[in-house]
Amino acid sequence: MLQSKTRSWVTIDRNAILHNVEEIKKLLHKESEIMAVVKANAYGHGDGVIAKLLENNGIHTFAVSSVDEALNLRRVGVSGDILILGYTPPVHFHYLIEENLLQNFLSLDYAKKLNEFASAYGVMIRGHIKVDTGMGRLGIRYTDDEDGYEEIKAVYQLDHLAVEGIFSHFSVADELDDENLKYTAHQIELFEKVLGRLKEEGIKPGKTHIQNSYGILNYQLHYDYVRPGLLILGVTSDDAIEIRSNPDFIPALSWYANVSYVKTVQPNSSISYGRHYIAKSERKIATVSVGYADGVPREASNSGMEVLVHGKRCTIVGNICMDQMMIDVSDVDDVCEGDVVTLVGRDGDEQVKIDEWSRKVPTINNDMLCRISARVPRFYSRLK
């Protein structure tokens, strides 16, 4: 039986995460290793706990978005390599050296700034070169006519940068229609051309990587690293998207709240701000101790979104408030204050997936998971 822990809380199944890692390994080339992407607080799951769990179970390379996220991992004792995928401001360059971090060398000009800083202190800054093969976000743009190659080569030649790898990023690896398959194939072709040119000129590229989560699901490639994020947590961006593989992922996160009040309302009674829900008949309404400040999307108000009480589906009614929301429990027996409401996860034979919430917003599962706020405590299962 589900038990209350606080007004709203999340549980993370650490055994599910280790299971998902094993499922990912089944999809990889035998020489590829996992670079675990734990940015954005591990997509709301708790970056420090997740990274330490993975490091204790054989994964020693991580990727984050910022220097702040990298420092969080160092503070909890993560000792493996940490690649910062985003921009680090010059005022924070010293952390790259002090904490032995790897920086994304995202342009030649940026690499020169890093090199100048490192030269002034007589040290080396470690990192990987980002090549833009078609994402159009960060990285040195490389094209069919090999535009950009000289800039990439020049980064390798900077005397106070230790270029330990080179990488790119897929933009449509989740799309399997002909046009997008061709686009991804072209990204791979461009990346291969860069690597080939470097090797021809006697430059060792270092560690190579291009596959994000959908790149892992849909393509078996031979690079040194893959970069799963959501997959480690047992989730894809969109449950409806077709994939080429059939992994047995287990979602690690469940989300709960308490019933704080139960009342019977008469026909024509209104519920919540704006009076967007008017009861058409006598209904039993429960107030739940969770709202949009906790990460419940206000866009799901009056959308037909359902949660679970006593293993039965109950519809959210009225506008979702900052700290509370209301649900119709008319068809559920013996609902009372303190009962547990399942927002995401299983209760009995029923399950609500994060994807159901995402569709109501609408958004992707990455976004929905990241919305769960810091004021919602995370509880972690014991390892079996």
Side-chain angles (χ1 to χ4, degrees):
M1 179 179 178
L2 296 171
Q3 301 209 341
S4 301
K5 293 182 182 290
T6 179
R7 58 177 290 278
S8 179
W9 67 98
V10 157
T11 63
I12 310 293
D13 185 345
R14 293 192 292 176
N15 297 290
I17 288 171
L18 296 181
H19 166 86
N20 296 332
V21 167
E22 294 305 311
E23 289 297 301
I24 292 168
K25 289 178 180 178
K26 294 176 183 178
L27 304 175
L28 305 185
H29 186 275
K30 62 181 180 179
E31 296 178 359
S32 297
E33 297 180 14
I34 291 173
M35 176 187 292
V37 180
V38 291
K39 62 182 180 176
N41 196 28
Y43 302 84
H45 290 63
D47 54 0
V49 175
I50 302 304
K52 283 298 294 180
L53 172 67
L54 296 173
E55 189 169 53
N56 290 339
N57 285 274
I59 293 176
H60 300 291
T61 308
F62 303 90
V64 296
S65 176
S66 67
V67 68
D68 309 272
E69 292 180 344
L71 294 177
N72 285 341
L73 299 190
R74 288 288 188 243
R75 289 187 191 108
V76 299
V78 173
S79 59
D81 281 339
I82 303 173
L83 173 63
I84 298 169
L85 297 171
Y87 169 78
T88 296
V91 70
H92 292 320
F93 282 174
H94 64 99
Y95 287 124
L96 303 176
I97 300 162
E98 293 164 4
E99 300 295 340
N100 193 26
L101 305 173
L102 288 88
Q103 174 60 43
N104 173 3
F105 300 146
L106 53 90
S107 73
L108 177 57
D109 286 344
Y110 185 66
K112 287 179 177 178
K113 290 180 183 178
L114 289 160
N115 189 68
E116 183 180 355
F117 179 89
S119 177
Y121 289 92
V123 295
M124 301 291 289
I125 290 179
R126 305 169 63 208
H128 291 195
I129 297 174
K130 177 71 177 289
V131 180
D132 179 7
T133 57
M135 179 66 180
R137 191 169 58 182
L138 294 177
I140 299 171
R141 185 73 174 183
Y142 184 78
T143 62
D144 285 319
D145 59 5
E146 301 192 358
D147 214 23
Y149 175 74
E150 291 303 322
E151 293 181 44
I152 295 167
K153 178 180 174 181
V155 177
Y156 279 96
Q157 295 172 336
L158 293 171
D159 56 358
H160 284 273
L161 296 188
V163 182
E164 299 182 14
I166 185 169
F167 70 110
S168 191
H169 189 74
F170 289 138
S171 61
V172 285
D174 56 333
E175 301 288 348
L176 298 179
D177 59 280
D178 288 344
E179 180 180 352
N180 285 313
L181 285 171
K182 289 177 182 176
Y183 194 88
T184 300
H186 186 240
Q187 285 195 264
I188 297 169
E189 178 186 354
L190 289 175
F191 193 53
E192 284 290 319
K193 285 177 71 173
V194 170
L195 300 180
R197 280 290 305 273
L198 291 169
K199 292 173 183 177
E200 285 174 5
E201 298 196 29
I203 300 171
K204 294 181 180 179
K207 299 291 187 180
T208 57
H209 46 110
I210 192 172
Q211 288 163 277
N212 52 8
S213 286
Y214 279 102
I216 296 166
L217 293 172
N218 290 327
Y219 298 88
Q220 189 179 61
L221 304 174
H222 61 277
Y223 301 113
D224 295 296
Y225 289 126
V226 297
R227 301 191 306 268
L230 278 183
L231 298 190
I232 291 172
L233 310 169
V235 182
T236 60
S237 292
D238 185 333
D239 288 1
I241 292 179
E242 177 189 358
I243 58 175
R244 287 170 162 170
S245 53
N246 188 33
D248 178 29
F249 291 132
I250 301 174
L253 181 144
S254 299
W255 189 7
Y256 306 100
N258 284 322
V259 170
S260 57
Y261 186 57
V262 182
K263 56 189 173 293
T264 298
V265 302
Q266 299 306 311
N268 298 317
S269 298
S270 64
I271 300 295
S272 198
Y273 291 115
R275 302 184 65 240
H276 296 297
Y277 174 83
I278 306 292
K280 295 180 179 179
S281 60
E282 182 178 283
R283 309 303 295 170
K284 185 167 60 173
I285 304 296
T287 301
V288 185
S289 58
V290 68
Y292 62 75
D294 302 290
V296 177
R298 191 172 183 274
E299 302 96 317
S301 300
N302 303 297
S303 67
M305 183 63 204
E306 297 172 325
V307 295
L308 304 178
V309 181
H310 295 185
K312 294 184 178 180
R313 286 183 170 260
C314 301
T315 304
I316 297 171
V317 295
N319 281 357
I320 294 166
C321 307
M322 179 178 285
D323 311 303
Q324 301 169 87
M325 67 181 191
M326 280 63 72
I327 60 176
D328 188 334
V329 293
S330 301
D331 298 327
V332 185
D333 295 332
D334 302 323
V335 178
C336 61
E337 174 193 337
D339 283 354
V340 174
V341 178
T342 301
L343 284 76
V344 177
R346 290 189 178 276
D347 184 0
D349 295 330
E350 285 283 0
Q351 181 181 16
V352 176
K353 293 185 176 182
I354 197 72
D355 195 74
E356 293 183 48
W357 286 97
S358 301
R359 292 184 182 283
K360 295 297 184 184
V361 173
T363 187
I364 56 175
N365 295 334
N366 319 45
D367 176 27
M368 186 60 218
L369 287 167
C370 289
R371 291 186 183 208
I372 303 175
S373 76
R375 82 172 185 176
V376 179
R378 275 68 168 168
F379 295 91
Y380 297 88
S381 70
R382 293 183 178 181
L383 292 173
K384 295 179 181 177

